[in-house]
Amino acid sequence: MIGNRKDGGWSPYLAGGLVGVLAICSALATTKLLGKTSYLGASTSFVRAAGFVERLVAPEHVSSNEYYAETKVRVDWQFMLVSGILLGAFLAALTDRSFRWESVPPTWQERFGPSVAKRAAGAMVGGVLAMLGARMADGCPSGHGLSGMMQLSASAFVALFLFFGVGVLVAGLVYRRRHS
Amino acid sequence: MTTEQWLGLVTGVLFGFLLQKGRVLRFDKQVGAMLLKDMTIFKFMLAAILVGMVGLHVLAGLEVIKLSHKPLNVGAVLIGGALFGTGWAVMGFCPGTSIGALGEGRWHAVFAIIGMVAGAALFAELYPFLERTVLAWKDFGKVGLPEVLGISPWPVVLVLWVGVVALFFWFEKKGV
């Protein structure tokens, strides 16, 4: 169950278990150093990123928007955490030479062909829907799926069930080859 | 940078490192999970939950940290959860993994990130409307499952451990 795998990565049980340890240490560190317990999450940072972008073209609009005011458009702990994921993934990929430039993932290509434009369109439409959903539900697979479940939050059980339940249904419709 | 920002960065680097080592950042792993062909994501998430929930409840029980539940706002969680599931299947990334995927060179994640930033901007515009409608339907507040059941968290932790470990053995038996 644990150890080296044919794709060169770590066992998902080991890597996941260590994320559990990280979540515990992070809750402790934020409480001790920042005075307030913070939990791993990602999707709120996309709101802040949107706020930064919009500020470049319409600063008044951002300052008058209720949601941006509530979220506070600034480089906070979670924004740096999400930025850190980029660096951490890059470093990990370097250690086992798994860094690859990929423009269209294999599963997508099997179903929709090698067109980058199609993949871009799918990713963007999916991204808009997913983020609308994540902000409405107040969390994503990090905030609800990991942090919420670890805390046994009632909302996390419902959210994670829907994330995967609907994901399975839609993935079945989108990626399964139709037999002629 | 402030202490807050440094702490976030260090935590994020470790998180990104583990996500990459667990191989869960990839489109094919995420969609593979939703097609029920590759259980890597489930193994990773459930292992994190099993370990994390014990530590967090010990620390919360000792009143060292405070739990922070997200509200069980029924309409928001149901509609938002379904929208997220739909978008996730098509995009093949979730918010955190899209950033990590970019870090390991899967540059098409850029399109997913652009879409999600646009989605966040759209949500900010829709927020006043949603506050009057979906978000106002029924909110059970920030509750934990143990409180809902009227019991201590530990029986819930135990049941999840037993159930999830059994699931792990089943995954390995099936070779998924």
Side-chain angles (χ1 to χ4, degrees):
Chain A
M1 271 165 81
I2 308 234
N4 242 343
R5 301 167 59 83
K6 59 178 185 291
D7 63 3
W10 295 356
S11 154
Y13 299 113
L14 174 65
L18 289 172
V19 165
V21 175
L22 178 67
I24 299 165
C25 295
S26 169
L28 200 56
T30 50
T31 309
K32 293 290 174 199
L33 296 171
L34 310 177
K36 185 177 176 287
T37 315
S38 291
Y39 292 93
L40 303 179
S43 63
T44 316
S45 297
F46 285 77
V47 178
R48 301 201 171 98
F52 287 129
V53 175
E54 268 185 61
R55 231 183 226 167
L56 299 175
V57 283
E60 293 87 18
H61 186 73
V62 174
S63 50
S64 66
N65 180 289
E66 192 189 338
Y67 193 61
Y68 286 134
E70 268 180 33
T71 310
K72 295 186 186 76
V73 181
R74 65 186 192 89
V75 178
D76 72 332
W77 175 83
Q78 196 204 76
F79 197 91
M80 289 310 291
L81 179 127
V82 173
S83 311
I85 292 175
L86 182 84
L87 181 59
F90 175 69
L91 294 174
L94 288 186
T95 61
D96 58 21
R97 301 181 184 187
S98 54
F99 187 95
R100 297 277 181 288
W101 289 110
E102 179 185 272
S103 49
V104 180
T107 309
W108 177 277
Q109 187 159 343
E110 243 172 64
R111 179 70 184 80
F112 296 105
S115 159
V116 176
K118 269 194 202 170
R119 169 64 195 138
M124 284 199 246
V125 171
V128 170
L129 292 177
M131 190 49 67
L132 280 177
R135 290 332 303 150
M136 208 182 283
D138 201 14
C140 60
S142 296
H144 272 307
L146 294 175
S147 300
M149 288 298 292
M150 287 176 192
Q151 297 181 65
L152 303 175
S153 304
S155 56
F157 284 87
V158 181
L160 196 60
F161 177 76
L162 276 152
F163 292 170
F164 274 109
V166 175
V168 166
L169 284 176
V170 175
L173 291 172
V174 174
Y175 299 103
R176 286 206 197 282
R177 274 186 176 279
R178 269 161 264 168
H179 297 285
S180 49
Chain B
M1 285 205 312
T2 62
T3 309
E4 180 193 355
Q5 289 168 338
W6 273 113
L7 186 60
L9 183 67
V10 171
T11 312
V13 168
L14 293 170
F15 192 25
F17 193 93
L18 293 171
L19 288 165
Q20 204 278 342
K21 285 294 181 191
R23 298 293 190 251
V24 295
L25 296 171
R26 294 175 192 172
F27 176 98
D28 296 277
K29 293 285 185 186
Q30 310 221 2
V31 171
M34 286 181 255
L35 292 172
L36 305 175
K37 286 178 180 164
D38 182 336
M39 295 295 125
T40 308
I41 305 265
F42 288 104
K43 294 174 188 176
F44 182 93
M45 284 185 77
L46 290 169
I49 292 165
L50 288 189
V51 173
M53 70 182 174
V54 173
L56 292 182
H57 281 94
V58 168
L59 291 174
L62 297 170
E63 293 179 3
V64 177
I65 63 165
K66 270 184 96 149
L67 295 184
S68 158
H69 298 297
K70 292 171 185 294
L72 180 56
N73 186 326
V74 179
V77 174
L78 291 180
I79 297 175
L83 268 176
F84 184 86
T86 306
W88 190 11
V90 178
M91 171 167 56
F93 294 118
C94 59
T97 52
S98 67
I99 303 284
L102 188 60
E104 60 167 357
R106 277 65 179 176
W107 68 270
H108 56 93
V110 165
F111 303 122
I113 295 166
I114 294 171
M116 285 189 283
V117 172
L122 184 59
F123 184 84
E125 299 308 314
L126 293 174
Y127 187 62
F129 166 77
L130 292 171
E131 259 193 322
R132 291 193 304 273
T133 53
V134 178
L135 301 178
W137 290 346
K138 177 74 193 149
D139 190 352
F140 286 102
K142 302 177 174 185
V143 286
L145 186 63
E147 296 161 69
V148 174
L149 300 173
I151 53 177
S152 122
W154 296 109
V156 183
V157 169
L158 183 69
V159 168
L160 284 173
W161 260 92
V162 171
V164 170
V165 169
L167 191 65
F168 285 167
F169 276 100
W170 187 71
F171 285 162
E172 296 309 312
K173 204 176 133 210
K174 287 264 166 190
V176 284

